[in-house]
Amino acid sequence: MSEPESKPATLRRALTLPWLVFYGVGVTVGAGIFALIGEILSLAGSHAPLSFLLAGLIAGVTGVSYALLVSRFPKAGGEAVFVHRGLGSFPGKLVGYGVCATGTISSAVVALAFAGYMQALVPLPQGVLLVAVVGGLAAIAWLGVRESVLFAGLITLIEVGTLILVIVFGGPLIADVPEWAPSFVPPLDGTLLAGILSGGVIAFFAFVGFEDIENMAEETVNPERTTPRAIFWTLGITVVLYVLLSIIAVMAPDRDAVAGSSAPMAVLFEQITGFSGKPVAAAAAIAMINGILVQIVMVSRVLYGMANDGIAPKWFAWVDPKRRTPGRATLVVTIAVLALAVSFPLVRLAEATSLVTLAVFALVNLSLFRLGGRLDDRTLQRFRWWGLAGAAICVVIAGFQIATGALGGH
């Protein structure tokens, strides 16, 4: 009598709400905010806080759609699964591979930037540094989801801790309510209102990343409840951080210097403390590592989820029986990141990633609209038109980016 075949390994459910929020904040509050705040300040001036509030509202609309869908379909494939169920197999494949492409390209771009930074400190060839950094982070991703999130969490503490330090030192500026409060009331000036809107559209990309949370659903305890809450906590924490930082930037002694700097957060820190801004610049570089790791983790989960949903080769669904991580998918993503980083000029590709992200957001929102009309689910039915409105907002933002050449991202 033959022995029964053992069941294939599955992903380990190890993430609770605090771990998932750590992951979400780490992937959302990336290195980009360290530079992006200067651009928003130059566009919106004293109304920069309004731009960040507007951006948070825009992100929140799509965040609600993600939260609703992941509570019904808590799968690792995330967006690909949502769109597959709502719009069909082909759109699901497009979205899934689009997410994989943007994540892989983003990792390659950040890896190149980090290797360039490290070359100033360690006299080694760029290729050697790339293999060391990407390979080391891939090994952490393979070890286990808790190990990956713990490592990402430590880096998150550094980058978010640095931003909180800026907020603490800038506290006296925030406390000066009578001086900055009027800046929240937009004047009847078309130019300034256009600046607020332009700043808000670009600031929107500083919130991109929260959507990666749902790809960890199959490694989350009680994902139907935990994952939506993690999305809202992540967006809430991010809005508070960004608005407080923008208020301090508005009230800085030399706002123009902050807006015109390539390292505006470091300049802001110098102005409000009198200390060197080099530690803040170092924190921005460290944040790059987080960007690489979380994208490797996210893309491998998308491939795994797509394979289990029948819209990617089943080969990607293999799970390391000991580590309980998607080993094959992680290996392929790592090779792809290294290949892109050493072989291609990535500037044009990087510019396209934000448009692909908006297209994915639009299709996820449309999936909510379609599913709300087809499923016997009162909540989805009630929020059906919310999904359509979210899709329209994404199309408007994409049109603005195309028309103005605005580029956001981490």
Side-chain angles (χ1 to χ4, degrees):
M1 184 175 180
S2 60
E3 294 184 6
E5 293 185 11
S6 60
K7 292 183 179 180
T10 57
L11 300 180
R12 178 181 286 115
R13 293 197 183 277
L15 302 179
T16 55
L17 181 61
W19 286 101
L20 205 55
V21 172
F22 248 135
Y23 176 85
V25 173
V27 71
T28 305
V29 184
I33 187 59
F34 286 84
L36 191 63
I37 194 166
E39 187 173 355
I40 307 304
L41 196 60
S42 65
L43 283 170
S46 61
H47 300 84
L50 277 179
S51 290
F52 278 106
L53 281 173
L54 175 62
L57 179 63
I58 294 171
V61 171
T62 295
V64 169
S65 295
Y66 271 89
L68 287 168
L69 291 171
V70 77
S71 69
R72 271 62 179 178
F73 308 106
K75 301 292 184 180
E79 298 96 327
V81 173
F82 303 157
V83 176
H84 182 200
R85 302 297 171 84
L87 302 178
S89 176
F90 182 69
K93 286 182 180 179
L94 284 181
V95 164
Y97 287 122
V99 170
C100 291
T102 57
T104 303
I105 293 167
S106 173
S107 291
V109 171
V110 175
L112 271 176
F114 185 76
Y117 178 85
M118 289 300 295
Q119 275 187 304
L121 304 175
V122 182
L124 289 174
Q126 185 184 69
V128 173
L129 291 171
L130 281 171
V131 172
V133 171
V134 176
L137 294 173
I140 294 172
W142 167 77
L143 277 174
V145 66
R146 181 168 286 176
E147 289 81 357
S148 300
V149 174
L150 175 60
F151 185 83
L154 292 174
I155 298 177
T156 299
L157 287 176
I158 294 173
E159 59 186 8
V160 175
T162 301
L163 297 178
I164 291 175
L165 192 64
V166 174
I167 292 170
V168 169
F169 277 106
L173 297 178
I174 298 175
D176 194 3
V177 176
E179 187 171 348
W180 61 257
S183 71
F184 279 88
V185 182
L188 296 176
D189 183 313
T191 302
L192 287 177
L193 286 173
I196 294 171
L197 294 173
S198 299
V201 168
I202 295 176
F204 165 78
F205 294 101
F207 290 90
V208 171
F210 72 88
E211 73 281 0
D212 290 349
I213 294 173
E214 85 280 353
N215 290 302
M216 311 304 291
E218 290 187 43
E219 292 160 286
T220 298
V221 178
N222 191 13
E224 295 87 350
R225 175 175 170 82
T226 302
T227 312
R229 291 169 65 194
I231 290 173
F232 293 132
W233 269 106
T234 295
L235 285 172
I237 290 169
T238 306
V239 168
V240 171
L241 284 174
Y242 290 174
V243 170
L244 290 177
L245 287 167
S246 62
I247 290 171
I248 294 169
V250 164
M251 299 300 295
D254 188 352
R255 184 200 304 172
D256 292 338
V258 176
S261 172
S262 59
M265 198 67 71
V267 172
L268 180 60
F269 182 78
E270 289 176 349
Q271 288 189 20
I272 63 178
T273 66
F275 302 140
S276 170
K278 289 183 179 179
V280 176
I286 292 172
M288 295 180 187
I289 299 176
N290 226 13
I292 302 169
L293 176 60
V294 296
Q295 294 297 338
I296 291 175
V297 171
M298 181 274 292
V299 175
S300 62
R301 270 61 180 180
V302 172
L303 286 173
Y304 167 85
M306 290 174 65
N308 278 329
D309 214 44
I311 50 176
K314 198 67 178 177
W315 188 83
F316 286 116
W318 182 82
V319 173
D320 185 313
K322 183 178 180 181
R323 308 310 311 179
R324 304 280 292 277
T325 52
R328 290 174 181 169
T330 301
L331 176 63
V332 169
V333 173
T334 303
I335 293 172
V337 170
L338 285 171
L340 283 172
V342 301
S343 304
F344 295 98
L346 297 172
V347 175
R348 293 288 178 86
L349 290 174
E351 290 175 350
T353 58
S354 57
L355 281 175
V356 175
T357 300
L358 283 169
V360 169
F361 281 9
L363 289 172
V364 168
N365 280 301
L366 281 177
S367 296
L368 174 60
F369 175 73
R370 287 289 303 279
L371 288 168
R374 288 164 38 195
L375 299 182
D376 185 17
D377 185 308
R378 290 187 178 181
T379 301
L380 294 186
Q381 291 170 357
R382 189 163 60 245
F383 280 89
R384 183 187 182 200
W385 294 99
W386 181 284
L388 190 61
I393 290 172
C394 292
V395 171
V396 170
I397 297 173
F400 178 88
Q401 182 182 334
I402 293 170
T404 63
L407 172 64
H410 293 295

